[in-house]
Amino acid sequence: MTSWGLIVKNLFRRKLRTFLTVFAIFIAFLIFGVLSAFQKTLTEPPQGPSATRLVVTNKVNFTQPLPISYVERVKAVKNAGIVSHMSWFGGYYQEPRNFVVSFGVDPETYVAIYSELALSDAEKQAFIKDRTGMLVGKKLADMYGWKVGDTVPLKSSIFRQKDGSDAWDFKVSGIFTNTEEENGDQYVVFHYDYFNESRSFGRDAIGQIVVQTRDPAQNDATAREIDEMFVNSGAETETRTEAAFAASFAAQLGDIGFIVTAVVGAAFVTILLIAGNTMMLTVRERTGEIAVLKTIGFTARRIFAMILTESFILALLGGLLGVGFAYVALGLLGGMGGGFLGAVKLTPSILITAFILMALLGFLTGFLPAWRAMRTDIITAFARK
Amino acid sequence: MSDELVKVARAGKAYTRGKQKVSIFEGLDMRIEKGAFLAIMGPSGSGKTTLLNMLGGVDRPTSGEILFQGKRVDNLSESALAAFRAGHVGFIFQFYNLMPMLTAQQNVELPLLLTRLSKKQRRDRAAAALEIVGLSDRAKHKPAELSGGQQQRVAIARAIVSDPELILADEPTGDLDRETANEVLTVLQELNRLHGKTIVMVTHDAEAARYAKKTLHLDKGVFVEKGLNS
Ligand SMILES: Nc1ncnc2c1ncn2[C@@H]1O[C@H](COP(=O)(O)OP(=O)(O)OP(=O)(O)O)[C@@H](O)[C@H]1O
Ligand SMILES: [Mg+2]
């Protein structure tokens, strides 16, 4: 028999109750681990955006299309230098979980505008010349083992070919890295025309127009000029710098971050109440026993420490199990999902936060009951029996 | 003087109930010799438990002094009182008050957690205490698996395991039938006779009091001595 043994025996005398409490804490930390990992990945800043390039999107929402005829009209704007466009393909490789960020683009203008992509001239020319050509970011090429010259069938989760097939064959013309941004090489681009002609619906619509201006100092005026051009037309536009566009995109994800924080917060408040209430109940039930321990000579401090230790063990047990399961679950998810989900991990900062939360939970749920136990008055405790 | 264990000097105990002051006793004097086996009897509410609590350092008098081995204990701090109880007093309760999730052996070991004894020494001492109360063969049993008399004997073992000078028992046989009560009382008597333990026992049962060497009657705050037991 040891002091430690006494604490453990007390903890497990009501096995079901202890199990349920630990389980509740476990769920809270599982939610915390998984959601924090996602939040971390999602709210990381997207591609190194340019402060000088302008992006023209549908005013309603950037997922709404624009007519391709707009491209020519934007080219007519005085400050417009190179004008290109991009359309979301919603591609995946072999299976939907192998999600591939993919765009149909105008090849010549695309390679001209995105000068930060490291490509040889030969690769650029090959891409422009081959109607089925595709440029692949190095990370993706490495992940799927694609080489220059390979034919890669990509399926779209949105579009169909006219013959009903959902797969397009692309030939890898070049593999690029992004010289400006570390993770800016996890997507592919191919010929918009090739994709546009063969798709069964949504023809001649594009996602966004990208404008390299001649004088970036005039960008604000140019953006206004473009938007005014399309006022009262079928699709009004919103023109921003690429950086501003990325920031608004991140802001939407930031809302997700807030939701995650709210969910985790609610889970913890609930757990705090459940575990705190259980500890309070436990101590109240044991009032008589605590009085006996005090009579025998256990000091108030020792009793306080005993109860607080119990609540710490509960929090640690549930917390470690929850974080451990989150780790395993994210590993399995990453193994299945490839690219994007593979990046969702428990970072050291998440683990540190988890430990702080465990300690906080242990303290908050144990303090009041421990205080109560410590203050138990022997005489009144016995008189109550 | 040398064989005086506890001295109660002009002790008073009063409670304030609302605006009313209720005095349980006043100016109470008492001497407990080393090796005494004292029974305290008296009507319900006469203050027997209160007195026992003061002797054991659980409660304090509102006036007067309590001396243990010549030193005042009534003015000690809470933690010093806890240490005093752990080191010098063994308590036996009417309802045994054993921990239900611990075995007999573990229950007996509880007070030793407050000492510097090693794990093995604690185990050996607890086994020896169980031997004294005749329950070695029940060491691994939980309280629920023991009869009332056996539970009370485990409680007695717990009270003597740290070898305290004073043992206090508040109606130790109050919850037991005659025969079992006699067994428990015999154990107490042996502790007194063979092991020299000083025992103060509160009881409502005149037959139980007969096991003690001396009986004091507490009534309306004063002791009425009714002579030695036969
Ligand atoms: N905390 C308290 N507040 C007020 N009065 C109290 C308190 N504790 C005890 N008393 C009163 O003190 C008196 C003595 O109580 P005590 O428990 O010592 O009696 P007792 O002789 O042990 O009685 P019994 O034989 O029923 O156990 C009783 O009248 C009781 O109501
Ligand atoms: Mg009483």
Side-chain angles (χ1 to χ4, degrees):
Chain A
M1 188 64 202
T2 58
S3 297
W4 186 247
L6 181 61
I7 291 169
V8 173
K9 285 245 160 59
N10 265 325
L11 207 49
F12 291 104
R13 56 200 288 180
R14 291 201 182 253
K15 293 195 181 59
L16 182 65
R17 187 195 286 171
T18 302
F19 170 80
L20 289 175
T21 309
V22 170
F23 186 72
I25 297 171
F26 160 80
I27 293 291
F29 276 89
L30 182 63
I31 291 173
F32 168 77
V34 171
L35 289 188
S36 301
F38 269 98
Q39 182 188 13
K40 200 107 201 162
T41 314
L42 287 177
T43 52
E44 225 123 73
Q47 266 122 29
S50 159
T52 58
R53 282 193 292 254
L54 293 176
V55 179
V56 186
T57 59
N58 191 304
K59 193 178 179 183
V60 175
N61 188 294
F62 70 83
T63 61
Q64 295 297 309
L66 293 172
I68 193 162
S69 59
Y70 280 24
V71 176
E72 287 309 313
R73 293 180 64 187
V74 169
K75 276 183 185 164
V77 171
K78 215 187 284 155
N79 193 26
I82 311 167
V83 176
S84 189
H85 62 87
M86 302 171 70
S87 302
W88 182 251
F89 179 65
Y92 61 91
Y93 180 55
Q94 291 171 340
E95 298 196 42
R97 63 184 191 202
N98 298 329
F99 174 70
V100 175
V101 177
S102 42
F103 298 95
V105 303
D106 176 53
E108 260 166 283
T109 51
Y110 185 85
V111 295
I113 284 191
Y114 288 91
S115 52
E116 68 263 35
L117 302 184
L119 281 164
S120 70
D121 281 343
E123 282 173 316
K124 284 181 187 172
Q125 288 315 311
F127 173 54
I128 292 166
K129 275 192 202 119
D130 186 350
R131 240 171 63 83
T132 65
M134 174 166 79
L135 293 176
V136 178
K138 183 150 192 328
K139 277 236 176 77
L140 278 178
D142 288 349
M143 189 181 310
Y144 295 118
W146 299 335
K147 306 262 175 320
V148 171
D150 285 357
T151 296
V152 174
L154 286 185
K155 294 182 178 181
S156 171
S157 53
I158 307 168
F159 300 105
R160 287 271 179 288
Q161 296 223 37
K162 277 183 266 184
D163 63 10
S165 146
D166 59 354
W168 274 263
D169 282 338
F170 297 106
K171 197 168 151 205
V172 179
S173 316
I175 293 172
F176 63 85
T177 55
N178 191 322
T179 55
E180 280 178 9
E181 213 245 325
E182 203 193 335
N183 287 317
D185 58 353
Q186 299 192 39
Y187 63 97
V188 303
V189 293
F190 48 78
H191 289 225
Y192 170 79
D193 288 344
Y194 169 50
F195 153 63
N196 188 46
E197 283 157 17
S198 51
R199 63 176 159 175
S200 61
F201 64 92
R203 197 90 48 83
D204 293 341
I206 55 170
Q208 62 201 54
I209 299 167
V210 185
V211 185
Q212 179 88 68
T213 50
R214 290 177 208 279
D215 177 9
Q218 302 290 315
N219 276 357
D220 284 348
T222 307
R224 244 175 288 129
E225 189 185 339
I226 293 171
D227 290 343
E228 274 162 18
M229 203 155 60
F230 300 110
V231 165
N232 294 328
S233 69
E236 295 196 1
T237 60
E238 179 162 9
T239 305
R240 287 165 290 186
T241 62
E242 234 177 32
F245 176 65
S248 77
F249 188 68
Q252 294 203 4
L253 293 172
D255 291 346
I256 295 174
F258 172 75
I259 292 167
V260 167
T261 310
V263 168
V264 169
F268 271 89
V269 169
T270 311
I271 295 320
L272 200 69
L273 294 177
I274 293 176
N277 188 53
T278 308
M279 283 302 295
M280 207 64 185
L281 203 70
T282 307
V283 165
R284 198 169 306 155
E285 273 175 4
R286 283 196 236 146
T287 303
E289 290 175 23
I290 290 164
V292 171
L293 288 177
K294 282 189 114 179
T295 307
I296 285 175
F298 280 64
T299 58
R301 243 174 60 194
R302 200 182 176 103
I303 292 192
F304 183 83
M306 266 174 57
I307 304 291
L308 204 59
T309 307
E310 272 185 50
S311 72
F312 267 103
I313 292 177
L314 283 178
L316 217 61
L317 209 63
L320 289 179
L321 281 172
V323 172
F325 257 71
Y327 179 82
V328 172
L330 289 172
L332 289 175
L333 219 60
M336 280 175 0
F340 167 67
L341 289 175
V344 180
K345 285 201 184 77
L346 287 180
T347 60
S349 79
I350 295 176
L351 291 180
I352 290 168
T353 311
F355 272 106
I356 293 172
L357 283 174
M358 284 177 221
L360 212 64
L361 192 69
F363 182 77
L364 289 178
T365 55
F367 183 82
L368 226 60
W371 183 259
R372 212 191 133 101
M374 178 180 112
R375 301 280 304 264
T376 302
D377 181 61
I378 302 175
I379 297 158
T380 44
F382 283 135
R384 212 181 296 148
K385 295 185 101 176
Chain B
M1 183 70 203
S2 66
D3 49 4
E4 178 189 88
L5 186 65
V6 188
K7 183 173 169 171
V8 177
R10 302 172 313 283
K13 182 74 183 178
Y15 287 107
T16 38
R17 224 172 275 166
K19 278 183 188 154
Q20 215 180 342
K21 201 171 160 208
V22 184
S23 171
I24 299 166
F25 40 73
E26 246 177 59
L28 193 77
D29 288 313
M30 185 183 185
R31 235 175 92 93
I32 301 168
E33 306 286 327
K34 263 184 200 138
F37 186 176
L38 197 63
I40 297 179
M41 298 191 71
S44 188
S46 57
K48 304 182 295 296
T49 298
T50 307
L51 176 64
L52 214 58
N53 283 339
M54 293 195 318
L55 296 177
V58 169
D59 202 356
R60 302 165 198 268
T62 38
S63 63
E65 296 176 0
I66 313 270
L67 292 92
F68 188 90
Q69 292 177 330
K71 286 193 208 84
R72 275 186 73 171
V73 290
D74 59 281
N75 56 1
L76 293 177
S77 70
E78 279 305 317
S79 57
L81 264 185
F84 163 71
R85 295 194 296 268
H88 303 285
V89 191
F91 293 87
I92 300 164
F93 310 89
Q94 176 175 357
F95 299 107
Y96 334 128
N97 285 334
L98 300 173
M99 304 281 154
M101 74 291 186
L102 301 182
T103 63
Q105 163 89 21
Q106 289 166 335
N107 264 291
V108 175
E109 267 190 62
L110 268 187
L112 299 181
L113 294 181
L114 305 173
T115 66
R116 296 187 178 280
L117 295 176
S118 72
K119 222 170 150 177
K120 177 169 185 334
Q121 285 171 315
R122 293 200 296 261
R123 211 180 323 121
D124 292 348
R125 283 245 206 149
L130 276 174
E131 174 92 57
I132 290 176
V133 299
L135 278 179
S136 297
D137 57 334
R138 294 288 193 280
K140 294 251 154 59
H141 290 229
K142 297 241 172 97
E145 300 154 8
L146 298 169
S147 72
Q150 287 171 331
Q151 288 188 59
Q152 193 59 303
R153 275 145 70 193
V154 172
I156 293 173
R158 179 179 65 187
I160 61 171
V161 74
S162 47
D163 201 21
E165 290 90 346
L166 179 64
I167 291 171
L168 301 175
D170 198 351
E171 300 183 38
T173 59
D175 205 40
L176 300 174
D177 61 49
R178 180 79 274 142
E179 202 179 325
T180 317
N182 287 344
E183 276 171 35
V184 167
L185 289 162
T186 307
V187 171
L188 287 177
Q189 199 169 49
E190 280 175 4
L191 282 176
N192 176 251
R193 287 201 185 139
L194 306 177
H195 301 270
K197 294 286 167 207
T198 308
I199 302 176
V200 180
M201 173 177 76
V202 166
T203 182
H204 279 288
D205 174 12
E207 191 148 334
R210 227 165 276 141
Y211 284 79
K213 288 175 182 162
K214 187 175 162 185
T215 302
L216 291 177
H217 291 263
L218 189 61
D219 199 0
K220 299 193 180 78
V222 286
F223 280 122
V224 192
E225 204 159 327
K226 290 198 177 163
L228 291 169
N229 291 310
S230 52

PDB file of all heavy atoms in Angstrom, chain A residues 14-25:
ATOM      1  N   ARG A  14     -15.048   3.525  -8.900  1.00  0.00           N
ATOM      2  CA  ARG A  14     -16.271   3.570  -9.704  1.00  0.00           C
ATOM      3  C   ARG A  14     -15.829   3.542 -11.152  1.00  0.00           C
ATOM      4  O   ARG A  14     -15.651   4.567 -11.782  1.00  0.00           O
ATOM      5  CB  ARG A  14     -17.074   4.831  -9.405  1.00  0.00           C
ATOM      6  CG  ARG A  14     -17.665   4.806  -8.024  1.00  0.00           C
ATOM      7  CD  ARG A  14     -18.830   5.765  -7.930  1.00  0.00           C
ATOM      8  NE  ARG A  14     -19.351   5.772  -6.580  1.00  0.00           N
ATOM      9  CZ  ARG A  14     -20.507   5.211  -6.260  1.00  0.00           C
ATOM     10  NH1 ARG A  14     -21.232   4.612  -7.172  1.00  0.00           N
ATOM     11  NH2 ARG A  14     -20.932   5.260  -5.017  1.00  0.00           N
ATOM     12  N   LYS A  15     -15.657   2.322 -11.618  1.00  0.00           N
ATOM     13  CA  LYS A  15     -14.998   2.136 -12.914  1.00  0.00           C
ATOM     14  C   LYS A  15     -15.780   2.766 -14.053  1.00  0.00           C
ATOM     15  O   LYS A  15     -15.210   3.426 -14.917  1.00  0.00           O
ATOM     16  CB  LYS A  15     -14.781   0.642 -13.181  1.00  0.00           C
ATOM     17  CG  LYS A  15     -13.776   0.034 -12.230  1.00  0.00           C
ATOM     18  CD  LYS A  15     -13.284  -1.312 -12.709  1.00  0.00           C
ATOM     19  CE  LYS A  15     -12.297  -1.900 -11.715  1.00  0.00           C
ATOM     20  NZ  LYS A  15     -12.851  -2.096 -10.357  1.00  0.00           N
ATOM     21  N   LEU A  16     -17.084   2.567 -14.064  1.00  0.00           N
ATOM     22  CA  LEU A  16     -17.882   3.088 -15.173  1.00  0.00           C
ATOM     23  C   LEU A  16     -17.802   4.614 -15.209  1.00  0.00           C
ATOM     24  O   LEU A  16     -17.591   5.215 -16.260  1.00  0.00           O
ATOM     25  CB  LEU A  16     -19.340   2.624 -15.050  1.00  0.00           C
ATOM     26  CG  LEU A  16     -20.218   3.089 -16.206  1.00  0.00           C
ATOM     27  CD1 LEU A  16     -19.773   2.453 -17.516  1.00  0.00           C
ATOM     28  CD2 LEU A  16     -21.685   2.783 -15.944  1.00  0.00           C
ATOM     29  N   ARG A  17     -17.938   5.214 -14.027  1.00  0.00           N
ATOM     30  CA  ARG A  17     -17.920   6.668 -13.979  1.00  0.00           C
ATOM     31  C   ARG A  17     -16.569   7.209 -14.441  1.00  0.00           C
ATOM     32  O   ARG A  17     -16.487   8.144 -15.234  1.00  0.00           O
ATOM     33  CB  ARG A  17     -18.212   7.138 -12.556  1.00  0.00           C
ATOM     34  CG  ARG A  17     -18.375   8.642 -12.477  1.00  0.00           C
ATOM     35  CD  ARG A  17     -18.302   9.126 -11.068  1.00  0.00           C
ATOM     36  NE  ARG A  17     -19.507   8.822 -10.312  1.00  0.00           N
ATOM     37  CZ  ARG A  17     -19.601   9.005  -9.004  1.00  0.00           C
ATOM     38  NH1 ARG A  17     -18.563   9.440  -8.333  1.00  0.00           N
ATOM     39  NH2 ARG A  17     -20.719   8.727  -8.369  1.00  0.00           N
ATOM     40  N   THR A  18     -15.504   6.593 -13.946  1.00  0.00           N
ATOM     41  CA  THR A  18     -14.168   7.024 -14.352  1.00  0.00           C
ATOM     42  C   THR A  18     -13.986   6.829 -15.853  1.00  0.00           C
ATOM     43  O   THR A  18     -13.466   7.699 -16.550  1.00  0.00           O
ATOM     44  CB  THR A  18     -13.110   6.223 -13.583  1.00  0.00           C
ATOM     45  OG1 THR A  18     -13.334   6.435 -12.199  1.00  0.00           O
ATOM     46  CG2 THR A  18     -11.711   6.670 -13.954  1.00  0.00           C
ATOM     47  N   PHE A  19     -14.455   5.678 -16.349  1.00  0.00           N
ATOM     48  CA  PHE A  19     -14.331   5.405 -17.782  1.00  0.00           C
ATOM     49  C   PHE A  19     -15.055   6.476 -18.595  1.00  0.00           C
ATOM     50  O   PHE A  19     -14.505   7.006 -19.565  1.00  0.00           O
ATOM     51  CB  PHE A  19     -14.901   4.020 -18.094  1.00  0.00           C
ATOM     52  CG  PHE A  19     -15.031   3.756 -19.571  1.00  0.00           C
ATOM     53  CD1 PHE A  19     -13.922   3.384 -20.320  1.00  0.00           C
ATOM     54  CD2 PHE A  19     -16.251   3.919 -20.214  1.00  0.00           C
ATOM     55  CE1 PHE A  19     -14.034   3.172 -21.678  1.00  0.00           C
ATOM     56  CE2 PHE A  19     -16.376   3.706 -21.573  1.00  0.00           C
ATOM     57  CZ  PHE A  19     -15.257   3.327 -22.303  1.00  0.00           C
ATOM     58  N   LEU A  20     -16.263   6.819 -18.184  1.00  0.00           N
ATOM     59  CA  LEU A  20     -17.040   7.809 -18.935  1.00  0.00           C
ATOM     60  C   LEU A  20     -16.369   9.181 -18.910  1.00  0.00           C
ATOM     61  O   LEU A  20     -16.338   9.891 -19.910  1.00  0.00           O
ATOM     62  CB  LEU A  20     -18.464   7.903 -18.377  1.00  0.00           C
ATOM     63  CG  LEU A  20     -19.341   6.680 -18.672  1.00  0.00           C
ATOM     64  CD1 LEU A  20     -20.691   6.808 -17.980  1.00  0.00           C
ATOM     65  CD2 LEU A  20     -19.534   6.483 -20.168  1.00  0.00           C
ATOM     66  N   THR A  21     -15.838   9.536 -17.751  1.00  0.00           N
ATOM     67  CA  THR A  21     -15.156  10.828 -17.659  1.00  0.00           C
ATOM     68  C   THR A  21     -13.933  10.854 -18.563  1.00  0.00           C
ATOM     69  O   THR A  21     -13.720  11.790 -19.327  1.00  0.00           O
ATOM     70  CB  THR A  21     -14.728  11.098 -16.204  1.00  0.00           C
ATOM     71  OG1 THR A  21     -15.852  10.900 -15.366  1.00  0.00           O
ATOM     72  CG2 THR A  21     -14.212  12.500 -16.035  1.00  0.00           C
ATOM     73  N   VAL A  22     -13.126   9.789 -18.467  1.00  0.00           N
ATOM     74  CA  VAL A  22     -11.929   9.719 -19.313  1.00  0.00           C
ATOM     75  C   VAL A  22     -12.339   9.736 -20.785  1.00  0.00           C
ATOM     76  O   VAL A  22     -11.717  10.395 -21.617  1.00  0.00           O
ATOM     77  CB  VAL A  22     -11.106   8.453 -18.987  1.00  0.00           C
ATOM     78  CG1 VAL A  22     -10.010   8.234 -20.017  1.00  0.00           C
ATOM     79  CG2 VAL A  22     -10.496   8.577 -17.599  1.00  0.00           C
ATOM     80  N   PHE A  23     -13.428   9.050 -21.089  1.00  0.00           N
ATOM     81  CA  PHE A  23     -13.891   8.990 -22.481  1.00  0.00           C
ATOM     82  C   PHE A  23     -14.297  10.386 -22.977  1.00  0.00           C
ATOM     83  O   PHE A  23     -13.953  10.772 -24.097  1.00  0.00           O
ATOM     84  CB  PHE A  23     -15.069   8.024 -22.588  1.00  0.00           C
ATOM     85  CG  PHE A  23     -15.522   7.791 -24.003  1.00  0.00           C
ATOM     86  CD1 PHE A  23     -14.749   7.033 -24.874  1.00  0.00           C
ATOM     87  CD2 PHE A  23     -16.700   8.351 -24.473  1.00  0.00           C
ATOM     88  CE1 PHE A  23     -15.148   6.834 -26.182  1.00  0.00           C
ATOM     89  CE2 PHE A  23     -17.109   8.154 -25.779  1.00  0.00           C
ATOM     90  CZ  PHE A  23     -16.333   7.383 -26.635  1.00  0.00           C
ATOM     91  N   ALA A  24     -14.995  11.122 -22.122  1.00  0.00           N
ATOM     92  CA  ALA A  24     -15.405  12.479 -22.505  1.00  0.00           C
ATOM     93  C   ALA A  24     -14.173  13.346 -22.768  1.00  0.00           C
ATOM     94  O   ALA A  24     -14.117  14.091 -23.755  1.00  0.00           O
ATOM     95  CB  ALA A  24     -16.267  13.097 -21.407  1.00  0.00           C
ATOM     96  N   ILE A  25     -13.193  13.233 -21.903  1.00  0.00           N
ATOM     97  CA  ILE A  25     -11.963  14.016 -22.083  1.00  0.00           C
ATOM     98  C   ILE A  25     -11.246  13.556 -23.354  1.00  0.00           C
ATOM     99  O   ILE A  25     -10.736  14.363 -24.134  1.00  0.00           O
ATOM    100  CB  ILE A  25     -11.054  13.876 -20.841  1.00  0.00           C
ATOM    101  CG1 ILE A  25     -11.762  14.455 -19.615  1.00  0.00           C
ATOM    102  CG2 ILE A  25      -9.723  14.566 -21.070  1.00  0.00           C
ATOM    103  CD1 ILE A  25     -11.061  14.180 -18.305  1.00  0.00           C
TER     104      ILE A  25
END
